[in-house]
Amino acid sequence: MSNLNLSVVILSYNTKDVTGRCLAKALAAKEYCEKKLKNKVEVIVLDNASADGSALAIKKDFPKVKLIAQKENLGFAKGNNLVMQKIKNPFILLLNSDCYLQEESLYKAIAYFRVNLNCDVLGARLNYASGLLQPSAGSLPNILNIIFWILGLSLLPFFNMIVSPFHPKEKKYFAKAHKTGWIMGAFFMLKKKVYDVTGGFDENFFMHMEEVEWCKRIWQKGYKIWYVPQVEVVHLHGASTNFDLNASFSNELKGIKYYLKKHYGVYYFILKPVLILGLILRMIAFSLLRKNKRARVYLEGLKAI
């Protein structure tokens, strides 16, 4: 594998300060990677019509960055697809604007591709700002593990022996490199040929679950997805989307609904009553615990399915 050139793609939307810190870290990682591997790394930012002066700040403070300033917010899926289709380099990293690379992050990721030819898509270990692990990979959703997840059964170790969890929480799942069903889109590195063959994100998703659905099609085409904890980044989780728990969970449920209808057809309508039951049980449980804010999250979730 002689050509190790990489394009780093960052979407920005009203996160001027956070994006600035992200770019400073990304450029430091770029320099380190180029020095170690003698490759070329470009950093591209697509600004999704930010109203906080993000585009002007990037143009002024980071002249080495390629800036694409949109006049409308394209969302995560469409925005990334727009950039990826124009890239010529053999490797692409999709990086959230609230992710901070370590100096060696890009080098370690590209080096892993070089030694593991069976790796086509790579996800990193994501850490919260506190340093704690952020779960960021899991098994692809199916009828059974979605039932276990919505009913809370996947939190019990016994049930995880029966079915591979959609949202694993156990630390051992994230302890070493292994193949995985999906990785989080906050750090999503891939060979360009994977995009060329699979067509990228389904643009019917605006936000949430789009990377999981793409991972499904990536596996269907015979490519391999790896979770590699040797590559670490800090993910502020939500800073790039002005995080709102109600909206986030509702959007995830909408994404799950679309995913299941697309890949499982009529079985979604069999599953829907279980989803409703699970949300009602969660709402009752958190109400009894006097955690009314969390209970309202599940009430809003009912509207999404």
Side-chain angles (χ1 to χ4, degrees):
M1 188 180 294
S2 57
N3 188 348
L4 301 174
N5 293 344
L6 167 68
S7 296
V8 179
V9 180
I10 301 168
L11 264 58
S12 168
Y13 180 66
N14 289 332
T15 54
K16 181 173 66 175
D17 294 337
V18 172
T19 302
R21 289 192 290 273
C22 170
L23 285 172
K25 296 285 188 180
L27 291 174
K30 158 187 158 71
E31 291 182 11
Y32 184 86
C33 184
E34 290 177 334
K35 181 179 179 181
K36 296 286 286 187
L37 294 177
K38 309 303 180 186
N39 65 341
K40 296 294 183 182
V41 179
E42 64 174 352
V43 179
I44 305 168
V45 176
L46 183 141
D47 184 74
N48 261 326
S50 295
D52 66 348
S54 290
L56 289 175
I58 292 167
K59 187 175 182 180
K60 175 178 178 291
D61 298 335
F62 301 98
K64 293 182 180 180
V65 169
K66 296 183 179 180
L67 174 65
I68 303 171
Q70 288 297 124
K71 294 183 179 180
E72 62 176 331
N73 185 0
L74 301 178
F76 183 84
K78 191 172 183 179
N80 276 306
N81 281 349
L82 179 68
V83 181
M84 284 191 288
Q85 68 185 5
K86 299 176 181 179
I87 287 173
K88 303 299 182 184
N89 286 334
F91 292 96
I92 300 171
L93 169 62
L94 306 181
L95 184 70
N96 273 19
S97 63
D98 60 354
C99 275
Y100 299 158
L101 298 175
Q102 295 181 349
E103 185 180 50
E104 67 273 17
S105 296
L106 298 181
Y107 163 68
K108 285 184 176 181
I110 292 294
Y112 191 84
F113 277 106
R114 186 169 61 174
V115 298
N116 184 358
L117 300 181
N118 196 33
C119 178
D120 301 299
V121 179
L122 183 150
R125 174 188 166 112
L126 303 185
N127 296 318
Y128 293 107
S130 65
L132 293 176
L133 169 72
Q134 179 186 344
S136 57
S139 299
L140 287 170
N142 56 52
I143 299 299
L144 191 56
N145 66 12
I146 288 294
I147 290 174
F148 279 40
W149 168 70
I150 199 66
L151 294 178
L153 299 176
S154 60
L155 297 174
L156 303 175
F158 172 77
F159 286 97
N160 285 342
M161 296 172 62
I162 301 173
V163 61
S164 298
F166 167 43
H167 274 306
K169 303 295 184 184
E170 295 180 348
K171 289 184 179 180
K172 66 179 182 180
Y173 189 90
F174 303 98
K176 60 182 180 180
H178 61 91
K179 294 175 188 175
T180 187
W182 63 270
I183 56 170
M184 190 179 288
F187 183 106
F188 197 105
M189 187 176 282
L190 65 147
K191 295 174 180 175
K192 174 59 162 47
K193 68 178 182 181
V194 174
Y195 168 81
D196 293 335
V197 171
T198 61
F201 294 112
D202 182 333
E203 294 180 7
N204 288 303
F205 292 94
F206 185 80
M207 188 176 295
H208 293 294
M209 283 293 293
E210 56 271 87
E211 70 266 59
V212 178
E213 194 279 331
W214 188 15
C215 286
K216 171 81 170 177
R217 288 183 284 115
I218 288 170
W219 275 107
Q220 287 175 337
K221 291 295 184 180
Y223 295 115
K224 305 297 187 295
I225 301 170
W226 284 73
Y227 171 79
V228 182
Q230 298 94 309
V231 181
E232 293 191 54
V233 302
V234 172
H235 183 212
L236 301 184
H237 189 57
S240 63
T241 58
N242 296 314
F243 185 72
D244 177 276
L245 184 58
N246 281 359
S248 178
F249 188 70
S250 292
N251 284 332
E252 182 173 24
L253 284 174
K254 289 176 183 176
I256 289 172
K257 175 182 177 180
Y258 178 77
Y259 174 98
L260 292 172
K261 290 176 75 173
K262 178 176 180 177
H263 292 286
Y264 290 93
V266 69
Y267 290 103
Y268 167 74
F269 298 99
I270 298 172
L271 177 61
K272 184 175 180 179
V274 182
L275 291 173
I276 293 172
L277 174 62
L279 290 170
I280 291 173
L281 290 175
R282 290 184 182 208
M283 186 172 60
I284 292 172
F286 280 99
S287 295
L288 292 173
L289 292 171
R290 298 185 182 278
K291 295 184 178 181
N292 295 328
K293 184 176 180 180
R294 191 61 181 267
R296 284 195 294 271
V297 170
Y298 301 117
L299 177 61
E300 290 299 315
L302 286 169
K303 301 175 184 178
I305 59 171

